[in-house]
Amino acid sequence: MSDSTSHDSHVDGFIYGFSHFTQRRDSTSKRGYQQRSLVILSQHPYPALFYTLLAYLGQAFLSHGGPMLESACHNIAHWSDPLPGSTVELGFLGYVFTVELPTTVDAQQSSATNRAIANPEAHILVSLSPQDPPVLCAFAACLTHLWSIWECLLLCEPILVFGPSASMTSQVVWWLRDLIRPIPLAGDYRPFFTIHDAEHSVLVNPRPPQAGLLLGVTNPYFQRACQHWPHVLSLGTPKGGTKSSQPSIDISVGPSPGWNTKTHKRYIGRDKDLLKRLEEASRGNDVAKMEASEALREHFSARTTAFLVPLQRYLNTLIPTPADRSAPPTPTPSSVNFHSPSGSLFSTGTQRTNVQPPLRMKPFNESAFFASLKRNGSPLPFKSNTKRKEFYERWLRTSAFGVWIAGQEEVVNKVLAQDVPQPTGKTSLLVPH
Protein backbone atom coordinates (compact mmCIF):
# COMPACT_ATOMS: atom_id res chain seq x y z
CA MET A 1 0.00 0.00 0.00
CA SER A 2 1.60 3.21 -1.09
CA ASP A 3 1.78 6.32 1.03
CA SER A 4 -1.15 8.68 0.49
CA THR A 5 -1.15 12.05 2.20
CA SER A 6 -4.82 12.53 1.40
CA HIS A 7 -5.81 9.79 3.83
CA ASP A 8 -3.76 10.75 6.89
CA SER A 9 -6.47 9.57 9.30
CA HIS A 10 -5.05 6.12 8.64
CA VAL A 11 -1.50 6.88 9.79
CA ASP A 12 0.01 8.37 12.93
CA GLY A 13 3.48 9.46 11.84
CA PHE A 14 5.39 6.33 12.91
CA ILE A 15 7.09 3.63 10.85
CA TYR A 16 6.23 0.08 11.95
CA GLY A 17 8.38 -2.97 11.38
CA PHE A 18 7.07 -6.54 11.13
CA SER A 19 9.60 -9.37 10.98
CA HIS A 20 9.76 -13.10 10.25
CA PHE A 21 12.76 -14.83 11.84
CA THR A 22 13.99 -18.30 10.94
CA GLN A 23 16.79 -20.45 12.29
CA ARG A 24 17.85 -23.84 10.98
CA ARG A 25 20.85 -26.13 11.25
CA ASP A 26 23.65 -25.56 8.75
CA SER A 27 26.81 -27.66 8.95
CA THR A 28 28.65 -25.23 6.67
CA SER A 29 28.26 -22.37 9.14
CA LYS A 30 30.74 -21.83 11.97
CA ARG A 31 27.84 -21.42 14.39
CA GLY A 32 26.21 -24.61 13.18
CA TYR A 33 23.00 -22.89 12.12
CA GLN A 34 21.72 -20.27 9.71
CA GLN A 35 19.59 -17.29 10.71
CA ARG A 36 17.48 -15.10 8.44
CA SER A 37 15.10 -12.22 9.08
CA LEU A 38 12.56 -10.87 6.65
CA VAL A 39 11.20 -7.42 7.57
CA ILE A 40 8.28 -5.38 6.25
CA LEU A 41 8.29 -1.63 7.00
CA SER A 42 5.09 0.40 6.76
CA GLN A 43 3.55 3.62 8.03
CA HIS A 44 0.33 1.70 8.63
CA PRO A 45 -0.21 0.06 12.07
CA TYR A 46 -1.80 -3.10 10.63
CA PRO A 47 -0.34 -6.03 12.61
CA ALA A 48 -2.93 -8.62 11.54
CA LEU A 49 -2.29 -7.90 7.86
CA PHE A 50 1.48 -7.81 7.85
CA TYR A 51 1.98 -10.78 10.15
CA THR A 52 -0.31 -12.79 7.85
CA LEU A 53 1.70 -11.78 4.80
CA LEU A 54 4.96 -12.69 6.52
CA ALA A 55 3.60 -16.09 7.51
CA TYR A 56 3.16 -16.88 3.81
CA LEU A 57 6.21 -15.05 2.49
CA GLY A 58 8.65 -16.22 5.15
CA GLN A 59 8.43 -19.91 4.37
CA ALA A 60 8.27 -19.30 0.61
CA PHE A 61 11.38 -17.11 0.74
CA LEU A 62 13.23 -19.69 2.85
CA SER A 63 12.41 -22.44 0.34
CA HIS A 64 12.73 -20.59 -2.98
CA GLY A 65 14.83 -17.51 -2.26
CA GLY A 66 14.86 -14.19 -4.12
CA PRO A 67 12.21 -14.88 -6.79
CA MET A 68 9.52 -15.15 -4.10
CA LEU A 69 10.58 -11.80 -2.67
CA GLU A 70 10.41 -10.23 -6.11
CA SER A 71 6.96 -11.69 -6.66
CA ALA A 72 5.75 -10.36 -3.29
CA CYS A 73 7.05 -6.86 -4.06
CA HIS A 74 5.36 -6.97 -7.46
CA ASN A 75 2.03 -7.94 -5.83
CA ILE A 76 2.24 -5.17 -3.22
CA ALA A 77 3.17 -2.56 -5.84
CA HIS A 78 -0.16 -3.18 -7.57
CA TRP A 79 -2.30 -2.70 -4.47
CA SER A 80 -4.46 0.42 -4.42
CA ASP A 81 -4.03 3.15 -1.81
CA PRO A 82 -5.85 2.34 1.46
CA LEU A 83 -9.17 4.12 1.88
CA PRO A 84 -10.43 4.47 5.48
CA GLY A 85 -13.37 2.17 6.19
CA SER A 86 -13.06 0.24 2.95
CA THR A 87 -12.88 -3.51 2.33
CA VAL A 88 -10.48 -4.57 -0.40
CA GLU A 89 -9.19 -7.78 -1.96
CA LEU A 90 -5.41 -8.10 -2.02
CA GLY A 91 -3.58 -10.63 -4.16
CA PHE A 92 -0.41 -12.04 -2.65
CA LEU A 93 1.68 -15.01 -3.79
CA GLY A 94 -1.28 -16.71 -5.44
CA TYR A 95 -3.67 -16.09 -2.53
CA VAL A 96 -6.44 -13.51 -2.24
CA PHE A 97 -7.13 -11.88 1.12
CA THR A 98 -10.20 -9.84 1.97
CA VAL A 99 -8.89 -6.95 4.05
CA GLU A 100 -11.08 -4.65 6.13
CA LEU A 101 -9.60 -1.26 7.03
CA PRO A 102 -10.67 0.84 10.04
CA THR A 103 -12.18 4.30 9.53
CA THR A 104 -9.39 5.89 11.63
CA VAL A 105 -6.28 4.71 13.45
CA ASP A 106 -8.27 4.71 16.73
CA ALA A 107 -11.41 3.00 15.41
CA GLN A 108 -12.37 -0.34 16.94
CA GLN A 109 -12.81 -3.27 14.55
CA SER A 110 -15.25 -6.00 15.57
CA SER A 111 -14.08 -9.62 15.44
CA ALA A 112 -17.74 -10.64 15.07
CA THR A 113 -17.25 -9.93 11.36
CA ASN A 114 -14.94 -12.91 11.03
CA ARG A 115 -17.44 -15.31 12.54
CA ALA A 116 -20.08 -14.32 10.00
CA ILE A 117 -18.12 -15.35 6.92
CA ALA A 118 -17.22 -18.72 5.45
CA ASN A 119 -13.42 -18.40 5.58
CA PRO A 120 -12.38 -16.14 8.48
CA GLU A 121 -8.67 -16.80 7.90
CA ALA A 122 -8.88 -15.06 4.53
CA HIS A 123 -10.80 -12.08 6.00
CA ILE A 124 -8.38 -9.83 7.87
CA LEU A 125 -9.26 -7.04 10.30
CA VAL A 126 -5.99 -5.22 9.93
CA SER A 127 -5.75 -3.40 13.29
CA LEU A 128 -6.16 -6.55 15.39
CA SER A 129 -3.26 -8.31 17.06
CA PRO A 130 -2.20 -11.65 15.53
CA GLN A 131 -4.59 -14.35 16.80
CA ASP A 132 -2.24 -17.33 16.48
CA PRO A 133 -1.19 -18.52 18.99
CA PRO A 134 -4.21 -17.64 21.18
CA VAL A 135 -3.32 -14.64 23.34
CA LEU A 136 -4.85 -16.39 26.34
CA CYS A 137 -1.69 -18.53 26.59
CA ALA A 138 0.43 -15.47 27.26
CA PHE A 139 -1.80 -14.39 30.17
CA ALA A 140 -1.98 -17.81 31.84
CA ALA A 141 -0.22 -16.55 34.99
CA CYS A 142 -2.36 -13.44 35.49
CA LEU A 143 -5.93 -14.21 34.44
CA THR A 144 -7.41 -12.77 37.64
CA HIS A 145 -5.49 -9.51 37.12
CA LEU A 146 -6.62 -8.78 33.57
CA TRP A 147 -9.19 -6.27 34.82
CA SER A 148 -6.50 -4.34 36.71
CA ILE A 149 -4.31 -4.31 33.58
CA TRP A 150 -7.18 -2.89 31.52
CA GLU A 151 -7.75 -0.15 34.13
CA CYS A 152 -4.05 0.78 34.04
CA LEU A 153 -4.23 1.06 30.25
CA LEU A 154 -7.15 3.48 30.48
CA LEU A 155 -5.40 5.54 33.15
CA CYS A 156 -2.24 5.88 31.00
CA GLU A 157 -0.11 3.98 33.48
CA PRO A 158 3.31 2.81 32.17
CA ILE A 159 3.59 -0.97 31.86
CA LEU A 160 6.69 -3.08 31.25
CA VAL A 161 5.71 -6.22 29.32
CA PHE A 162 8.27 -9.00 29.82
CA GLY A 163 8.14 -12.14 27.65
CA PRO A 164 10.20 -15.16 26.58
CA SER A 165 10.20 -14.10 22.92
CA ALA A 166 9.86 -11.03 20.75
CA SER A 167 6.86 -12.59 19.01
CA MET A 168 4.98 -12.93 22.31
CA THR A 169 5.69 -9.42 23.60
CA SER A 170 4.75 -7.99 20.20
CA GLN A 171 1.47 -9.88 20.08
CA VAL A 172 0.51 -8.82 23.61
CA VAL A 173 1.48 -5.14 23.26
CA TRP A 174 -0.53 -4.89 20.03
CA TRP A 175 -3.43 -6.65 21.80
CA LEU A 176 -3.31 -4.28 24.77
CA ARG A 177 -3.16 -1.26 22.51
CA ASP A 178 -6.30 -2.44 20.70
CA LEU A 179 -8.36 -2.88 23.88
CA ILE A 180 -8.84 0.81 24.61
CA ARG A 181 -10.00 1.85 21.14
CA PRO A 182 -11.70 4.21 20.31
CA ILE A 183 -9.83 6.06 23.09
CA PRO A 184 -6.51 7.28 21.66
CA LEU A 185 -3.36 5.78 23.13
CA ALA A 186 -1.73 9.00 24.29
CA GLY A 187 1.54 7.33 25.32
CA ASP A 188 4.27 5.59 23.35
CA TYR A 189 4.27 1.84 22.72
CA ARG A 190 6.99 -0.50 21.52
CA PRO A 191 5.92 -4.10 20.84
CA PHE A 192 9.57 -5.19 21.02
CA PHE A 193 12.27 -3.01 22.53
CA THR A 194 15.99 -3.71 22.90
CA ILE A 195 19.02 -2.08 24.50
CA HIS A 196 20.24 -1.24 20.99
CA ASP A 197 17.26 1.03 20.27
CA ALA A 198 18.23 4.63 19.51
CA GLU A 199 15.76 5.86 22.14
CA HIS A 200 16.85 3.43 24.82
CA SER A 201 18.19 6.13 27.16
CA VAL A 202 15.08 8.26 26.58
CA LEU A 203 12.57 5.56 27.52
CA VAL A 204 14.60 3.58 30.06
CA ASN A 205 16.42 5.61 32.71
CA PRO A 206 16.29 6.28 36.48
CA ARG A 207 13.52 8.86 36.05
CA PRO A 208 9.82 7.90 36.35
CA PRO A 209 8.63 6.26 33.11
CA GLN A 210 6.57 8.22 30.64
CA ALA A 211 2.81 8.13 31.14
CA GLY A 212 1.09 5.52 29.00
CA LEU A 213 4.33 3.85 27.89
CA LEU A 214 3.99 0.18 26.86
CA LEU A 215 7.36 -1.52 26.49
CA GLY A 216 7.74 -5.13 25.30
CA VAL A 217 11.11 -6.63 26.30
CA THR A 218 12.86 -10.01 26.61
CA ASN A 219 16.30 -9.06 27.98
CA PRO A 220 16.70 -9.61 31.78
CA TYR A 221 18.65 -6.34 31.83
CA PHE A 222 15.31 -4.50 31.86
CA GLN A 223 14.26 -6.17 35.10
CA ARG A 224 17.05 -4.29 36.86
CA ALA A 225 16.86 -1.09 34.79
CA CYS A 226 13.07 -0.81 35.25
CA GLN A 227 12.75 -1.94 38.85
CA HIS A 228 11.28 1.48 39.73
CA TRP A 229 8.42 1.06 37.23
CA PRO A 230 5.01 0.77 38.93
CA HIS A 231 3.67 -2.13 36.82
CA VAL A 232 5.34 -5.21 35.33
CA LEU A 233 3.44 -7.77 33.26
CA SER A 234 5.44 -10.97 32.84
CA LEU A 235 4.02 -13.35 30.25
CA GLY A 236 3.90 -17.12 30.21
CA THR A 237 2.73 -20.08 32.28
CA PRO A 238 2.78 -19.82 36.09
CA LYS A 239 5.46 -21.79 37.83
CA GLY A 240 4.12 -25.24 38.65
CA GLY A 241 2.26 -25.21 35.34
CA THR A 242 -1.34 -26.09 34.54
CA LYS A 243 -2.86 -29.30 33.37
CA SER A 244 -3.15 -29.00 29.62
CA SER A 245 -2.85 -31.08 26.50
CA GLN A 246 -0.64 -28.33 25.03
CA PRO A 247 3.00 -27.55 25.89
CA SER A 248 3.39 -24.73 28.39
CA ILE A 249 5.10 -21.43 27.72
CA ASP A 250 7.80 -20.99 30.35
CA ILE A 251 10.06 -18.04 30.92
CA SER A 252 13.60 -18.92 32.00
CA VAL A 253 14.92 -15.42 32.72
CA GLY A 254 13.47 -12.23 34.10
CA PRO A 255 10.57 -11.84 36.53
CA SER A 256 8.30 -14.77 37.30
CA PRO A 257 5.19 -14.89 35.09
CA GLY A 258 2.35 -12.82 36.51
CA TRP A 259 1.23 -9.26 37.22
CA ASN A 260 3.17 -7.13 39.67
CA THR A 261 1.91 -3.66 40.59
CA LYS A 262 3.18 -1.32 43.26
CA THR A 263 0.41 1.26 43.14
CA HIS A 264 -2.80 0.10 41.50
CA LYS A 265 -5.88 -1.10 43.35
CA ARG A 266 -8.78 -2.23 41.22
CA TYR A 267 -11.82 0.06 40.88
CA ILE A 268 -14.22 -2.15 38.90
CA GLY A 269 -15.52 -5.65 39.54
CA ARG A 270 -14.42 -8.65 37.49
CA ASP A 271 -16.71 -10.72 35.29
CA LYS A 272 -16.63 -13.94 37.32
CA ASP A 273 -18.35 -16.02 34.65
CA LEU A 274 -15.81 -14.96 32.05
CA LEU A 275 -12.93 -15.59 34.46
CA LYS A 276 -14.17 -19.13 35.06
CA ARG A 277 -14.39 -19.70 31.30
CA LEU A 278 -10.84 -18.40 30.83
CA GLU A 279 -9.47 -20.68 33.53
CA GLU A 280 -11.17 -23.70 31.99
CA ALA A 281 -10.04 -22.77 28.48
CA SER A 282 -6.43 -22.37 29.61
CA ARG A 283 -6.50 -26.10 30.46
CA GLY A 284 -8.23 -27.02 27.20
CA ASN A 285 -7.26 -27.42 23.56
CA ASP A 286 -6.36 -24.78 20.99
CA VAL A 287 -9.97 -24.30 19.87
CA ALA A 288 -11.08 -23.53 23.43
CA LYS A 289 -8.17 -21.13 23.87
CA MET A 290 -8.93 -19.35 20.59
CA GLU A 291 -12.62 -18.90 21.45
CA ALA A 292 -11.82 -17.71 24.95
CA SER A 293 -9.24 -15.24 23.59
CA GLU A 294 -11.85 -13.78 21.26
CA ALA A 295 -14.38 -13.53 24.10
CA LEU A 296 -11.77 -11.79 26.23
CA ARG A 297 -11.10 -9.13 23.60
CA GLU A 298 -14.82 -8.53 23.05
CA HIS A 299 -15.36 -8.21 26.81
CA PHE A 300 -12.77 -5.48 27.30
CA SER A 301 -13.72 -3.70 24.10
CA ALA A 302 -17.28 -3.58 25.44
CA ARG A 303 -15.99 -2.27 28.77
CA THR A 304 -14.13 0.53 27.02
CA THR A 305 -17.33 1.47 25.22
CA ALA A 306 -19.26 1.35 28.51
CA PHE A 307 -16.63 3.56 30.16
CA LEU A 308 -17.32 6.26 27.56
CA VAL A 309 -21.12 6.19 28.03
CA PRO A 310 -21.27 8.81 30.84
CA LEU A 311 -18.87 11.05 28.93
CA GLN A 312 -20.84 10.79 25.69
CA ARG A 313 -24.07 11.43 27.60
CA TYR A 314 -22.64 14.63 29.06
CA LEU A 315 -21.13 15.76 25.74
CA ASN A 316 -24.56 15.56 24.16
CA THR A 317 -25.64 18.38 26.50
CA LEU A 318 -22.81 20.56 25.16
CA ILE A 319 -23.95 20.36 21.55
CA PRO A 320 -26.08 23.36 20.47
CA THR A 321 -29.79 22.58 20.36
CA PRO A 322 -32.16 23.25 17.42
CA ALA A 323 -33.19 26.44 19.25
CA ASP A 324 -29.58 27.61 19.23
CA ARG A 325 -29.35 26.83 15.53
CA SER A 326 -32.47 28.89 14.72
CA ALA A 327 -31.53 31.87 16.90
CA PRO A 328 -31.69 35.21 15.07
CA PRO A 329 -28.38 36.34 13.61
CA THR A 330 -26.34 38.84 15.60
CA PRO A 331 -26.32 42.33 14.05
CA THR A 332 -22.81 43.55 13.28
CA PRO A 333 -21.63 46.84 11.71
CA SER A 334 -20.30 46.81 8.15
CA SER A 335 -19.52 49.44 5.50
CA VAL A 336 -21.81 49.90 2.48
CA ASN A 337 -20.47 51.02 -0.88
CA PHE A 338 -22.35 52.86 -3.67
CA HIS A 339 -21.53 53.63 -7.26
CA SER A 340 -22.19 57.28 -8.24
CA PRO A 341 -23.66 58.18 -11.65
CA SER A 342 -20.16 59.15 -12.77
CA GLY A 343 -18.96 55.64 -11.99
CA SER A 344 -16.86 56.49 -8.95
CA LEU A 345 -17.09 54.37 -5.82
CA PHE A 346 -17.88 56.00 -2.49
CA SER A 347 -18.82 54.76 0.99
CA THR A 348 -21.73 55.90 3.13
CA GLY A 349 -20.19 54.62 6.35
CA THR A 350 -21.58 51.59 8.16
CA GLN A 351 -24.83 49.75 8.58
CA ARG A 352 -25.97 46.87 10.75
CA THR A 353 -25.78 43.50 8.99
CA ASN A 354 -27.08 40.18 10.20
CA VAL A 355 -24.27 37.62 10.61
CA GLN A 356 -24.85 34.10 11.90
CA PRO A 357 -22.03 33.36 14.40
CA PRO A 358 -20.43 29.93 14.05
CA LEU A 359 -21.97 27.31 16.32
CA ARG A 360 -19.49 25.44 18.48
CA MET A 361 -19.61 22.79 21.17
CA LYS A 362 -19.68 24.29 24.66
CA PRO A 363 -16.59 23.86 26.87
CA PHE A 364 -16.27 20.75 29.02
CA ASN A 365 -17.10 21.54 32.65
CA GLU A 366 -15.79 19.04 35.16
CA SER A 367 -18.31 19.89 37.89
CA ALA A 368 -21.23 19.56 35.49
CA PHE A 369 -19.89 16.23 34.25
CA PHE A 370 -19.65 14.77 37.76
CA ALA A 371 -23.16 16.01 38.55
CA SER A 372 -24.35 14.12 35.46
CA LEU A 373 -22.33 11.04 36.48
CA LYS A 374 -23.83 11.08 39.98
CA ARG A 375 -27.33 11.49 38.59
CA ASN A 376 -27.13 8.90 35.78
CA GLY A 377 -24.39 6.50 36.88
CA SER A 378 -22.21 4.28 34.70
CA PRO A 379 -22.87 0.87 33.08
CA LEU A 380 -19.59 -0.43 34.54
CA PRO A 381 -19.76 -2.37 37.84
CA PHE A 382 -17.67 -0.05 40.00
CA LYS A 383 -17.02 -1.22 43.54
CA SER A 384 -18.59 1.95 44.95
CA ASN A 385 -19.73 5.43 43.91
CA THR A 386 -16.57 6.81 45.49
CA LYS A 387 -14.41 4.50 43.39
CA ARG A 388 -16.37 5.51 40.30
CA LYS A 389 -15.81 9.23 40.89
CA GLU A 390 -12.12 8.71 41.68
CA PHE A 391 -11.57 6.67 38.50
CA TYR A 392 -13.11 9.30 36.24
CA GLU A 393 -11.23 12.06 38.10
CA ARG A 394 -7.96 10.29 37.38
CA TRP A 395 -8.84 9.78 33.73
CA LEU A 396 -9.73 13.45 33.23
CA ARG A 397 -6.18 14.29 34.33
CA THR A 398 -4.56 12.01 31.72
CA SER A 399 -3.27 13.12 28.35
CA ALA A 400 -5.63 10.58 26.77
CA PHE A 401 -8.60 12.68 27.88
CA GLY A 402 -7.10 15.79 26.30
CA VAL A 403 -6.57 14.02 22.98
CA TRP A 404 -10.01 12.39 23.11
CA ILE A 405 -11.98 15.55 23.94
CA ALA A 406 -10.11 17.50 21.25
CA GLY A 407 -11.13 14.85 18.73
CA GLN A 408 -14.77 15.01 19.86
CA GLU A 409 -14.82 18.80 19.58
CA GLU A 410 -13.31 18.68 16.10
CA VAL A 411 -15.95 16.26 14.85
CA VAL A 412 -18.87 18.13 16.43
CA ASN A 413 -17.71 21.58 15.33
CA LYS A 414 -17.14 20.35 11.78
CA VAL A 415 -20.72 19.07 11.59
CA LEU A 416 -22.07 22.26 13.15
CA ALA A 417 -20.19 24.37 10.60
CA GLN A 418 -21.85 22.43 7.78
CA ASP A 419 -25.32 22.77 9.31
CA VAL A 420 -25.28 26.56 9.98
CA PRO A 421 -28.19 28.10 7.99
CA GLN A 422 -27.24 30.89 5.62
CA PRO A 423 -28.78 34.36 6.25
CA THR A 424 -31.84 35.00 4.10
CA GLY A 425 -31.72 38.80 4.05
CA LYS A 426 -29.37 40.97 2.00
CA THR A 427 -26.33 42.08 3.94
CA SER A 428 -25.09 44.67 1.45
CA LEU A 429 -26.57 47.10 -1.08
CA LEU A 430 -24.91 47.32 -4.51
CA VAL A 431 -26.16 49.62 -7.33
CA PRO A 432 -25.56 47.96 -10.73
CA HIS A 433 -23.46 49.78 -13.32
Side-chain angles (χ1 to χ4, degrees):
M1 294 182 179
S2 60
D3 188 8
S4 176
T5 56
S6 62
H7 303 304
D8 58 2
S9 64
H10 241 211
V11 298
D12 54 15
F14 292 96
I15 296 294
Y16 297 90
F18 306 89
S19 67
H20 181 275
F21 174 77
T22 58
Q23 183 184 78
R24 63 180 180 179
R25 293 187 180 278
D26 184 356
S27 59
T28 63
S29 173
K30 291 182 179 180
R31 292 185 174 185
Y33 55 87
Q34 183 185 82
Q35 295 183 151
R36 284 188 178 183
S37 292
L38 189 61
V39 181
I40 293 179
L41 298 178
S42 174
Q43 75 273 30
H44 300 289
Y46 297 160
L49 171 62
F50 293 117
Y51 279 121
T52 299
L53 299 184
L54 283 170
Y56 284 82
L57 176 58
Q59 293 301 322
F61 176 68
L62 185 64
S63 302
H64 304 287
M68 298 307 298
L69 190 59
E70 292 180 13
S71 179
C73 292
H74 179 77
N75 292 153
I76 294 175
H78 284 79
W79 293 352
S80 59
D81 287 341
L83 294 174
S86 65
T87 299
V88 296
E89 290 187 344
L90 303 179
F92 189 75
L93 300 182
Y95 300 90
V96 177
F97 299 99
T98 302
V99 175
E100 189 174 325
L101 305 178
T103 53
T104 69
V105 72
D106 292 316
Q108 181 69 259
Q109 290 190 284
S110 174
S111 55
T113 304
N114 278 18
R115 296 196 302 270
I117 60 178
N119 185 9
E121 292 184 357
H123 190 103
I124 302 173
L125 305 179
V126 297
S127 65
L128 269 60
S129 172
Q131 299 182 52
D132 187 23
V135 75
L136 181 67
C137 302
F139 292 112
C142 54
L143 294 179
T144 60
H145 299 292
L146 288 170
W147 287 262
S148 293
I149 296 170
W150 172 78
E151 290 181 4
C152 287
L153 289 171
L154 279 188
L155 295 173
C156 293
E157 290 285 309
I159 302 176
L160 181 69
V161 180
F162 210 110
S165 67
S167 60
M168 182 181 289
T169 64
S170 297
Q171 180 191 27
V172 168
V173 170
W174 280 114
W175 190 83
L176 293 175
R177 187 270 172 270
D178 179 61
L179 289 189
I180 64 171
R181 286 185 170 110
I183 297 174
L185 185 66
D188 199 351
Y189 68 105
R190 306 297 175 93
F192 178 55
F193 190 77
T194 74
I195 60 175
H196 306 293
D197 193 285
E199 294 185 292
H200 170 257
S201 61
V202 176
L203 300 181
V204 178
N205 52 60
R207 297 187 298 273
Q210 298 177 10
L213 178 60
L214 288 177
L215 217 59
V217 301
T218 60
N219 193 325
Y221 156 82
F222 290 101
Q223 184 181 10
R224 301 186 301 273
C226 301
Q227 58 184 344
H228 60 294
W229 282 43
H231 317 291
V232 176
L233 170 60
S234 187
L235 309 173
T237 305
K239 290 186 176 180
T242 58
K243 294 181 179 180
S244 172
S245 59
Q246 305 297 322
S248 62
I249 302 174
D250 295 316
I251 188 168
S252 57
V253 295
S256 300
W259 167 250
N260 182 23
T261 177
K262 299 177 181 178
T263 60
H264 189 75
K265 294 183 178 180
R266 190 162 43 84
Y267 291 83
I268 307 171
R270 305 184 187 98
D271 186 321
K272 295 181 179 179
D273 292 336
L274 177 60
L275 177 58
K276 182 179 179 180
R277 178 182 175 184
L278 298 177
E279 292 172 338
E280 292 175 350
S282 65
R283 298 187 293 268
N285 56 27
D286 277 347
V287 174
K289 289 185 175 70
M290 190 70 74
E291 292 176 349
S293 297
E294 186 176 308
L296 185 61
R297 176 184 180 270
E298 290 182 351
H299 170 75
F300 283 117
S301 296
R303 284 213 163 187
T304 301
T305 301
F307 167 75
L308 290 174
V309 166
L311 291 149
Q312 296 284 12
R313 181 194 299 124
Y314 170 67
L315 289 191
N316 285 337
T317 68
L318 305 181
I319 300 174
T321 64
D324 297 324
R325 294 167 182 258
S326 59
T330 303
T332 59
S334 65
S335 61
V336 179
N337 297 324
F338 287 91
H339 285 275
S340 67
S342 61
S344 61
L345 183 69
F346 66 94
S347 173
T348 62
T350 62
Q351 76 166 20
R352 307 291 287 183
T353 60
N354 294 330
V355 177
Q356 179 71 52
L359 294 175
R360 301 185 65 84
M361 192 172 83
K362 301 172 187 175
F364 188 95
N365 183 283
E366 191 169 317
S367 298
F369 165 70
F370 282 111
S372 173
L373 180 65
K374 182 178 181 180
R375 183 169 57 253
N376 300 294
S378 168
L380 290 173
F382 283 93
K383 291 185 173 182
S384 67
N385 291 342
T386 301
K387 288 280 190 181
R388 181 183 66 194
K389 185 174 187 292
E390 181 183 344
F391 191 81
Y392 278 98
E393 283 177 336
R394 287 187 60 184
W395 191 72
L396 293 183
R397 294 195 295 268
T398 67
S399 54
F401 168 70
V403 177
W404 178 81
I405 191 66
Q408 299 297 305
E409 289 176 347
E410 181 181 359
V411 170
V412 171
N413 290 336
K414 184 177 180 180
V415 172
L416 291 175
Q418 295 172 347
D419 291 345
V420 172
Q422 298 298 319
T424 56
K426 293 183 179 180
T427 58
S428 62
L429 179 59
L430 297 175
V431 179
H433 288 81

